[in-house]
Amino acid sequence: MKYEELYDSSFLSNFDEVYLNEIKNLTLEIEDEDYQIDLIKISDILGINIEYKIFSHSGMYDPSENIIYLNELEPEFRQRFTLAHELGHAVLGHNISYRTELPEYISIIEKMNETNANKFAAELLLPKRLVVLALYHAYEILEYNENEEVSENQVNEIVYVTARLLNVSEQSLRFRFNNLSLFSEAI
Ligand SMILES: [Zn+2]
């Protein structure tokens, strides 16, 4: 399945025209249980380098060098969310000029940028169509019937399996289910 089929055109319009076709043509082999958005390939297409290091943050984007730093001590699913978040800063052009902005506005801009980068990350890693496909597959794996009510324990298993398929944390998946008004009993 091409990425073009996973994302809304409004989300894709965040990307510069120059990179858009290459991103749209990336593929997921759903039939081979490949539900993981390839953030490394997307970074490659955008010409952004990724470096792993040990520091006190989860991640950081350096616009002048076009490098995203990731904390090498964090688990992969966490690094993936951080990378998606930092890609958000890069793609959305978050670049506060501390010299020209008034100090009282800087913290407001930073908060808005953080919110928007998180929103971008959720949409990039967990597009609705992909989440639904992974959710159905989790039901298949667990041999549950999606038309029958599931117990709280079963919900936890479904969230666990779906999160593994998508390679995201259970917490961010539950948050996304909630945002998409999907599978509301999971929350
Ligand atoms: Zn941030």
Side-chain angles (χ1 to χ4, degrees), residues 85-86 89 114 117:
H85 173 99
E86 300 304 330
H89 284 310
E114 283 309 291

Side-chain angles (χ1 to χ4, degrees), residues 12-52:
L12 287 171
S13 69
N14 285 310
F15 293 95
D16 195 296
E17 279 290 323
V18 182
Y19 311 116
L20 201 51
N21 268 339
E22 244 186 296
I23 292 170
K24 283 179 175 175
N25 283 317
L26 290 173
T27 55
L28 279 180
E29 306 301 327
I30 300 284
E31 53 286 351
D32 294 335
E33 284 205 345
D34 177 17
Y35 291 87
Q36 300 181 29
I37 295 296
D38 194 334
L39 298 177
I40 306 289
K41 276 191 187 152
I42 292 175
S43 307
D44 263 4
I45 291 170
L46 298 174
I48 295 170
N49 290 312
I50 299 164
E51 283 186 20
Y52 296 85

